[in-house]
Amino acid sequence: EIVTALSLLAVPGQLKGKQVLITAGPTYEPIDPVRFIGNRSSGKMGFALAQAAQEAGAEVILIAGPVSLPTPTGVQRVNVETAQQMLDAVTAEANHSDIFISCAAVADYSPAKVEANKIKKTTHDKLILELEPTTDIVSSVTSQPDLTLFVVGFAAETRHIADYAREKMQRKKLDMIAANQVGEGQGFAVDDNALQVFWTGGEQLLPLAPKSQLARDLMTLIIERFYAKNSTENS
Amino acid sequence: EIVTALSLLAVPGQLKGKQVLITAGPTYEPIDPVRFIGNRSSGKMGFALAQAAQEAGAEVILIAGPVSLPTPTGVQRVNVETAQQMLDAVTAEANHSDIFISCAAVADYSPAKVEANKIKKTTHDKLILELEPTTDIVSSVTSQPDLTLFVVGFAAETRHIADYAREKMQRKKLDMIAANQVGEGQGFAVDDNALQVFWTGGEQLLPLAPKSQLARDLMTLIIERFYAKNSTENS
């Protein structure tokens, strides 16, 4: 109760009147009616960010992949499963949002062909699965010149974190990127995490903390850079 | 409370002194540190069977794939992730079990090569994934002549349920098979289900019911056939 109250004081209604669009969780790309390609995103960070944005006074739309997490109070949730469904949901909301936080671990690849019936083991010795790249959701938003919302991306990397993150920020035309290391008890499906946050002209390390606290710290940074960008553009 | 009490009366300690080995849930087969091939098993049926067997007085070993379900009271749970890990766990317990219920949706195929680092999208246009068959867990048990435990398999099919189930029962040398249809709001990740149960010389339909009730009905059938088989073999 005390922690919640303090965080409310830290960001007192700074996002009142703003719409924040957040994606969270994994996507599942079907191979056949029972099998799919998934990833290890728990959705916890995206859900914590949705709660932090709602506490800061925003209207929050949370587009969630398949996760078993309760919806934060006051947040509007849209459930999706595939990368394509997530893209469609983001496209429908992006043009009336002020901030887009792309926190979902969207599948980069999906099977080129979805089998209508379960692939039976007895009919194949080896199985060759052909995967095609999915449409990049965050780039589909930043590549539209009429969309001026503040866009935050995530990078979950197993190595060369800072280099990959800065390159990704530029290539995808992000306003900010939050990078974390995965694969060594950090990142996916755990409660604690640390983030290296980069933006044009700055960076900040958010040290290891519970995802709920980390989300509030990151939201404070996002709010700061969001207003800094808008005051620059309007001056 | 009343339902639990009634079901306890239905199978009052009939499995006292017996060990029941049950697998439940999906397996995840890693593609790289973040991606995997999974399937839509919720684990609910296997967990409900574990509870029903425990209520019937058995020592229950539940080998569970990645699911977010609480362990039934009095049940010993072993968590695994891949088909190979599940095979190893079953092998370790099969020779001192009396009944083996193979309820897990074990991956039939797993990637031939697991990438040590996350496959990056920019380095590939298309991705070809080569999958190899996994070792069949239930056949690894039934093919050992010194193992005489009662083996129950499951068949989750999208079509031709009875034919596939009977063929699978014979090919895998099962004592019993429980078949259900998946893909039309039934089977995976739902609470209600119906089963067609087959054994040599008999069959029974267990109509649509909550999985907890269905598990008790199936356990009653298993107990009946388990003692029928053992009295035949000992006479």
Side-chain angles (χ1 to χ4, degrees), chain A residues 99-114:
Chain A
I99 297 173
F100 172 37
I101 307 174
S102 176
C103 191
V106 184
D108 291 333
Y109 294 93
S110 68
K113 185 187 169 209
V114 180

Side-chain angles (χ1 to χ4, degrees), chain B residues 10-30:
Chain B
V11 280
Q14 291 182 18
L15 289 178
K16 199 162 161 50
K18 306 296 180 190
Q19 180 170 300
V20 178
L21 178 63
I22 301 175
T23 62
T27 65
Y28 284 179
E29 307 302 320

Side-chain angles (χ1 to χ4, degrees), chain B residues 164-215:
Chain B
Y164 279 151
R166 284 193 179 282
E167 184 276 326
K168 188 173 179 178
M169 178 168 70
Q170 283 172 10
R171 177 167 40 89
K172 298 200 174 186
K173 302 192 186 85
L174 305 173
D175 294 294
M176 181 182 273
I177 192 162
N180 66 330
Q181 182 153 5
V182 293
E184 291 167 9
Q186 248 179 260
F188 284 156
V190 292
D191 287 324
D192 282 20
N193 205 355
L195 290 173
Q196 279 179 271
V197 186
F198 304 91
W199 59 91
T200 307
E203 65 177 270
Q204 188 166 331
L205 177 70
L206 302 179
L208 196 67
K211 283 184 179 174
S212 55
Q213 184 56 49
L214 202 60

Side-chain angles (χ1 to χ4, degrees), chain A residues 31 34-38, chain B residues 26-29 36-41 105 107:
Chain A
I31 298 171
V34 299
R35 298 179 181 88
F36 61 84
I37 297 180
Chain B
T27 65
Y28 284 179
E29 307 302 320
F36 60 84
I37 297 179
N39 65 65
R40 295 176 193 280
S41 171

Side-chain angles (χ1 to χ4, degrees), chain B residues 47-70:
Chain B
F47 276 61
L49 282 166
Q51 181 167 349
Q54 198 275 336
E55 287 171 2
E59 292 289 315
V60 182
I61 315 278
L62 175 62
I63 298 171
V67 295
S68 52
L69 291 173

Side-chain angles (χ1 to χ4, degrees), chain A residues 1-44:
Chain A
E1 291 293 305
I2 292 169
V3 173
T4 305
L6 284 175
S7 86
L8 282 168
L9 288 175
V11 280
Q14 291 182 16
L15 290 179
K16 199 161 159 52
K18 305 296 179 190
Q19 180 170 302
V20 178
L21 178 63
I22 301 175
T23 61
T27 64
Y28 284 180
E29 307 303 319
I31 298 171
D32 68 18
V34 299
R35 298 179 181 88
F36 61 84
I37 297 180
N39 67 62
R40 296 175 192 281
S41 172
S42 68
K44 284 178 183 170

